[in-house]
Amino acid sequence: VKQIIVAINKMDLVGWSKARYDEVSKTVVGFLRSLGYKSKQVALVPVSGLSGENLTEAKSVDLTHWYEGKSLAEAIDNVPPPLRNGEGDFCMVTSDIYKAQTSGALMIAGKLERGSVMSKDKLLIMPANVVATVKSITSQGVPIKIACGGDNVELSVRDVDNDQQQQLQVGQIICAPHQPLHFIQEFKAKVLTLSAKIPLFAGQNIVVFSLGSGKPAFIHRLLRQMDRKSGETIRDKPRCIPRMSAAEIVIRTHDPVCIYPFRDNPALGRISIRRANETVAYGIIESVVQKLS
């Protein structure tokens, strides 16, 4: 997420008070800065959802006499669209698997992270190791001939028998058979910890999330604690990583996961770390220890 728009709602209840707007803005911007965002990446828009004020246009004199920024709709329109990555190895993450009610065809829904796909293409679904053929492609219910990185699509596939269908699960990765993705169980990551009460320490059980799919894991080693802004080393081999800190750690998963260094594949190079149903850290993959496939 590179741009954030914060709608400060119910401002009409405080008479469009600039003092209250500044108070909320200071709190929100301070929190977002702690996550690594800069002020220019954040837009704060005072609105009233009940009256519709400043959703598309600012009309209230109590607001316009001090607020000269954009309306919520204008702020959204001002966000530059992300670049779509149609180049590189095909990569798609499954978000749903079902059979079409009318035709009974096997449907796989998901988002293309990179590359492209069209009808009659062969796909490899990992780690089930199932090969399927694309019959047709739809996006938001509209048939299309080709899909590229960034598109959310539903693929109608064939050449998958009943036994193979039982192996398919949400969160699996789809790639090209001639360019199979690799799976690993140990990797080095740079992470930023959040405001969790319990610090990170070696041997701690965690759940690693990548592209919405979570895998049980544990922290194998703490390599170093770093300054959040400069990245300089504060302490080598620390005993623990406290809240709101930056660190370089080694993680081992119990089962193989499809994760790549961020520089090689940004879509598969981002992770978040949860513990006891709480997100405690997030970061990027620096390197993988050993490829299993």
Side-chain angles (χ1 to χ4, degrees):
V1 179
K2 297 181 180 180
Q3 294 287 332
I4 293 180
I5 299 172
V6 180
I8 304 178
N9 194 20
K10 299 185 179 181
M11 285 293 294
D12 54 324
L13 298 182
V14 292
W16 300 101
S17 167
K18 185 178 186 301
R20 179 56 176 161
Y21 170 84
D22 292 339
E23 179 186 357
V24 174
S25 299
K26 182 179 179 180
T27 302
V28 172
V29 171
F31 172 71
L32 293 176
R33 279 180 178 171
S34 72
L35 299 180
Y37 288 98
K38 299 179 180 179
S39 298
K40 64 180 180 180
Q41 295 177 279
V42 182
L44 298 114
V45 184
V47 300
S48 170
L50 181 62
S51 66
E53 179 69 26
N54 207 33
L55 295 182
T56 58
E57 184 181 3
K59 297 179 180 180
S60 173
V61 177
D62 293 335
L63 172 62
T64 56
H65 86 275
W66 61 267
Y67 179 75
E68 299 178 353
K70 296 179 173 62
S71 68
L72 183 60
E74 290 170 340
I76 294 173
D77 290 338
N78 196 51
V79 175
L83 296 176
R84 297 196 172 193
N85 187 5
E87 303 296 328
D89 301 343
F90 172 73
C91 177
M92 173 177 163
V93 182
T94 59
S95 60
D96 197 8
I97 301 171
Y98 61 95
K99 286 193 174 182
Q101 294 183 352
T102 54
S103 63
L106 179 64
M107 305 293 295
I108 300 179
K111 179 184 178 182
L112 270 71
E113 298 295 339
R114 60 190 295 179
S116 60
V117 64
M118 60 177 59
S119 299
K120 298 183 181 180
D121 280 355
K122 295 284 187 181
L123 304 177
L124 175 61
I125 306 170
M126 301 288 286
N129 205 31
V130 173
V131 176
T133 304
V134 179
K135 291 174 57 180
S136 61
I137 308 171
T138 57
S139 179
Q140 299 181 355
V142 179
I144 57 177
K145 293 183 179 180
I146 185 171
C148 298
D151 289 338
N152 288 283
V153 298
E154 299 85 38
L155 305 178
S156 175
V157 300
R158 57 182 174 85
D159 301 333
V160 181
D161 60 36
N162 291 331
D163 291 338
Q164 291 176 325
Q165 291 182 24
Q166 299 300 319
Q167 302 177 44
L168 304 184
Q169 298 177 4
V170 171
Q172 290 179 332
I173 310 293
I174 303 177
C175 57
H178 63 282
Q179 296 170 324
L181 296 172
H182 299 289
F183 282 71
I184 56 94
Q185 281 189 268
E186 185 174 327
F187 58 89
K188 181 170 68 174
K190 285 184 177 179
V191 300
L192 296 175
T193 59
L194 301 177
S195 56
K197 295 181 180 179
I198 301 176
L200 300 182
F201 53 85
Q204 192 174 63
N205 289 319
I206 56 175
V207 179
V208 175
F209 279 81
S210 174
L211 294 174
S213 178
K215 296 291 184 181
F218 66 94
I219 299 173
H220 179 50
R221 281 184 294 158
L222 304 179
L223 300 180
R224 62 187 178 118
Q225 183 179 347
M226 304 178 296
D227 182 87
R228 285 177 68 98
K229 294 183 178 180
S230 67
E232 296 180 355
T233 300
I234 297 176
R235 188 179 297 107
D236 286 319
K237 298 180 180 179
R239 295 183 62 182
C240 65
I241 306 298
R243 62 195 296 270
M244 309 306 293
S245 301
E248 195 172 66
I249 64 177
V250 175
I251 296 175
R252 282 184 180 177
T253 58
H254 296 293
D255 298 314
V257 293
C258 185
I259 285 178
Y260 275 62
F262 182 80
R263 63 180 179 274
D264 298 335
N265 191 331
L268 296 174
R270 303 183 184 93
I271 61 168
S272 61
I273 298 174
R274 289 179 63 83
R275 180 189 62 204
N277 297 320
E278 177 187 18
T279 301
V280 296
Y282 65 94
I284 61 173
I285 307 301
E286 277 288 289
S287 62
V288 298
V289 174
Q290 183 179 5
K291 297 178 180 179
L292 302 179
S293 60

